[in-house]
Amino acid sequence: PSFVADEGHNKVLDGKQRELGFTFSFPVRQSSIASGTLIKWTKAFAVDDAVGEDVVAELQTAMEKQGVDMRVSALINDTVGTLAAGSYNDEDVVIGVILGTGSNAAYVEKANAIPKLEGELPKSGNMVINTEWGNFSSSCLPITEYDQALDKESLNPREQIFEKLISGMYLGDIVRRVLLKIASQSSIFGPIKHTRLKTRLILRTPDISAMHHDETPDLRIVAETLAETLKIKDTSLETRKMVVEICDIVTSRSARLAAAGIVGIIRKIGRGTPGDKRKTVIAIDGGLFEHYAKFRQCLESTLVELLGEEASEFVAVKLTKDGSGLGAALIAAAHSQYLN
């Protein structure tokens, strides 16, 4: 209410109901531009009585209780928002990707290529597809014992398998599990009971990024991170080098799988082949891509590897910061009740 009051002095909107774009970063069965029911929670959220409810109606009710007179004019997913924001600034953007706490992708598809689409085709002939690729699972994925244990102990076992391999919420915990296995079979980290190696999710992706990017001669940042976060002290330089290598292996797998997913979508829409001179831009939002330089570099080099030198010249990735927020505003404005 205080934010709306502070921002409410706008002559253009005098006497008019203010409008809102609602970004909801979870799988939704969307029935219209401003309504959709929650299918399931991801990323360690779990509010059981919200599943199956219309998330817009719930937000409207909550706003009314707070005395906020506002209409939700558009419900979007953060990935769709990133695609919308990216394409607003660059017409060559055809894919939006989230690489942060969670992971997902959305792209522009020809409406006649969507078998489950019912009713009239959109006038443009195109439709945005929210893939929810985080829930992808296949026997082709490189699942390890660490991934299996992480999945089994998660709030949503057997779900979001692809996301658990690549997103920022999980990378640190995969590294922790590898270190725990090493600690159980050797004494290089000292007694396990004196460490925090058994504490789930205590090692976060910013921690492994800091260790991975450590360029000090004695790997001082690695030593400090191990000591402060995991209570592992007095490590040798060789041990610290091993920890960096583990961070590199886990992060490289993540980046290469994300790149494979992007190339899969590029191929699906008939782009990225030798001789195709169209520019294909992928708008990416999320802290994993923005802040983890070695992740970003690996993703970009893998795109070149998978597409080939020639085709990759016409494919680019582009950081689209706060794409979900800006995209929600753009889509809400496009569906305003006050448009002539």
Side-chain angles (χ1 to χ4, degrees):
S2 58
F3 175 80
V4 175
D6 291 344
E7 299 296 320
H9 307 297
N10 186 328
K11 289 182 180 178
V12 175
L13 289 170
D14 267 358
K16 292 181 178 178
Q17 185 183 39
R18 297 180 78 82
E19 294 178 302
L20 181 72
F22 181 19
T23 298
F24 190 70
S25 308
F26 301 93
V28 163
R29 184 167 288 106
Q30 192 155 357
S31 48
S32 73
I33 190 63
S35 63
T37 57
L38 173 63
I39 295 171
K40 64 180 179 183
W41 293 105
T42 60
K43 296 168 291 194
F45 283 77
V47 184
D48 291 343
D49 60 0
V51 175
E53 296 297 320
D54 185 334
V55 295
V56 173
E58 295 295 313
L59 178 60
Q60 290 279 181
T61 300
M63 288 193 296
E64 287 164 13
K65 284 181 181 176
Q66 295 294 323
V68 176
D69 179 26
M70 191 172 280
R71 169 182 173 264
V72 176
S73 61
L75 168 67
I76 71 159
N77 179 273
D78 58 341
T79 323
V80 173
T82 298
L83 175 57
S87 58
Y88 180 77
N89 293 310
D90 183 346
E91 63 181 12
D92 292 323
V93 168
V94 290
I95 301 171
V97 176
I98 299 291
L99 290 166
T101 304
S103 184
N104 192 11
Y107 72 101
V108 180
E109 179 64 276
K110 291 183 178 65
N112 59 15
I114 308 171
K116 71 177 185 179
L117 187 61
E118 297 175 357
E120 289 184 30
L121 298 182
K123 291 176 184 175
S124 69
N126 295 322
M127 181 168 281
V128 172
I129 299 292
N130 168 22
T131 67
E132 289 295 340
W133 81 5
N135 200 41
F136 174 67
S137 184
S138 165
S139 58
C140 297
L141 290 174
I143 305 290
T144 67
E145 63 183 274
Y146 312 108
D147 304 309
Q148 290 171 338
L150 183 152
D151 176 53
K152 189 176 181 181
E153 294 170 24
S154 69
L155 285 175
N156 53 347
R158 298 176 302 284
E159 294 183 351
Q160 301 298 112
I161 301 301
F162 195 54
E163 183 170 78
K164 286 168 181 168
L165 297 176
I166 67 175
S167 82
M169 179 171 173
Y170 303 102
L171 298 186
D173 207 53
I174 296 170
V175 170
R176 177 192 66 82
R177 289 169 187 276
V178 175
L179 298 180
L180 177 59
K181 176 76 175 287
I182 291 169
S184 71
Q185 296 183 346
S186 74
S187 58
I188 62 172
F189 296 128
I192 293 176
K193 64 182 179 181
H194 293 156
T195 73
R196 289 180 179 162
L197 278 170
K198 288 189 174 180
T199 306
R200 287 183 61 243
L201 300 173
I202 194 167
L203 193 64
R204 302 174 308 117
T205 298
D207 299 322
I208 68 166
S209 176
M211 293 192 291
H212 199 174
H213 292 97
D214 188 355
E215 294 182 350
T216 60
D218 59 348
L219 295 178
R220 177 177 46 81
I221 295 168
V222 176
E224 290 173 357
T225 304
L226 292 175
E228 292 170 13
T229 307
L230 295 174
K231 300 300 179 193
I232 296 172
K233 299 175 182 176
D234 304 321
T235 51
S236 69
L237 181 57
E238 284 304 307
T239 296
R240 297 198 289 277
K241 285 180 179 177
M242 179 197 69
V243 171
V244 174
E245 188 174 351
I246 293 167
C247 293
D248 184 66
I249 291 167
V250 171
T251 298
S252 296
R253 181 184 70 161
S254 164
R256 290 177 68 79
L257 286 171
I262 290 169
V263 170
I265 294 174
I266 291 173
R267 293 271 191 261
K268 174 68 176 69
I269 57 179
R271 289 173 173 253
T273 55
D276 183 0
K277 304 295 184 186
R278 291 173 296 176
K279 190 84 182 290
T280 298
V281 180
I282 300 101
I284 305 182
D285 193 10
L288 184 60
F289 181 78
E290 181 182 358
H291 300 301
Y292 201 147
K294 287 186 183 291
F295 172 92
R296 185 169 63 250
Q297 291 157 8
C298 182
L299 183 143
E300 291 173 348
S301 65
T302 304
L303 287 175
V304 176
E305 180 185 333
L306 293 175
L307 292 167
E309 291 282 350
E310 183 187 341
S312 65
E313 285 183 25
F314 298 92
V315 175
V317 293
K318 185 176 186 178
L319 176 64
T320 306
K321 289 186 67 171
D322 192 31
S324 59
L326 179 57
L330 290 168
I331 295 172
H335 291 83
S336 169
Q337 62 190 318
Y338 302 117
L339 283 177
N340 294 326

